[in-house]
Amino acid sequence: MAETYTLYKLIVLYMLDKVDFPLTTSQISEFILDKGYTSYFRLQETLSELAGSGLLEVETTHNRTLYHLTESGAETIHFFARKISPAIQKDIDEFLREKQYDLKEEAAVKSDYYLNTNREYEVRCQIVENGYSLIDLKLTVPTEKEAEAIAGRWSRQSQEIYTLLLSKLL
């Protein structure tokens, strides 16, 4: 059982090592759960343990969690990658190749909100590419409901809004 649990950890580390952007909980879950490797609860435990041991860095917003591979995580997977069978490595590589554009786009679009010192909600909407902000927009709204709506819609309409802003400003 301990060896199986170690395999789950190595799969997560391998996935993050193969991409140059963070992955969300749902993206990692999509691969691991669809392939039937483990249950959702075991995966959550695995992610928590990897983060707790410093192998993953966690970035949390109101609507999702992003996982980044740390330097220690990269060293660990480079040392232990051979413990993942070639068949599993092939499955991961195919999954990432097929979905890379969608995975990267989802991770690049970020939004979050919080209550500021004026007792209003500040919404931060971003598009990040290769570690650099293409857009970093802050809006202040009076209610949490409005903040939540903006943050939720940003992921679906960010490209359109970014294009509109560029066309109006250039």
Side-chain angles (χ1 to χ4, degrees):
M1 183 66 178
E3 198 165 304
T4 304
Y5 191 53
T6 300
L7 177 62
Y8 307 151
K9 292 178 184 178
L10 292 175
I11 288 171
V12 171
L13 294 175
Y14 184 87
M15 289 178 75
L16 286 164
D17 187 53
K18 290 293 181 177
V19 295
D20 61 351
F21 50 89
L23 294 174
T24 66
T25 305
S26 63
Q27 292 170 332
I28 295 168
S29 297
E30 181 181 349
F31 174 76
I32 290 179
L33 300 180
D34 285 357
K35 292 291 184 184
Y37 288 119
T38 190
S39 69
Y40 178 79
F41 297 107
R42 176 62 82 171
L43 176 59
Q44 292 304 311
E45 192 177 312
T46 300
L47 292 169
S48 177
E49 206 167 291
L50 286 167
S53 62
L55 300 176
L56 298 181
E57 181 183 317
V58 182
E59 180 184 346
T60 305
T61 65
H62 283 89
N63 56 351
R64 67 181 179 172
T65 303
L66 291 163
Y67 294 93
H68 303 260
L69 189 64
T70 64
E71 196 173 308
S72 296
E75 289 172 9
T76 300
I77 194 57
H78 289 145
F79 189 74
F80 290 107
R82 68 187 185 295
K83 295 210 178 255
I84 303 172
S85 75
I88 293 173
Q89 287 185 22
K90 182 179 179 228
D91 285 347
I92 294 168
D93 293 342
E94 285 176 8
F95 172 80
L96 294 174
R97 192 172 24 262
E98 288 172 11
K99 301 196 176 254
Q100 183 164 6
Y101 179 77
D102 293 336
L103 296 173
K104 191 171 190 168
E105 186 175 333
E106 185 180 337
V109 177
K110 301 177 181 185
S111 62
D112 200 7
Y113 64 90
Y114 57 90
L115 189 61
N116 67 20
T117 56
N118 292 336
R119 310 283 307 149
E120 295 177 309
Y121 287 87
E122 199 163 293
V123 185
R124 184 175 187 194
C125 302
Q126 298 175 286
I127 300 175
V128 179
E129 191 172 282
N130 298 324
Y132 297 100
S133 287
L134 294 179
I135 187 170
D136 193 346
L137 177 66
K138 286 186 183 178
L139 302 167
T140 303
V141 293
T143 69
E144 184 175 13
K145 186 176 181 179
E146 291 170 325
E148 191 174 339
I150 291 169
R153 288 187 183 115
W154 177 250
S155 63
R156 294 185 303 277
Q157 298 178 336
S158 60
Q159 293 299 327
E160 183 181 332
I161 294 166
Y162 178 69
T163 303
L164 175 68
L165 283 172
L166 284 179
S167 70
K168 295 289 185 183
L169 297 172
L170 292 177

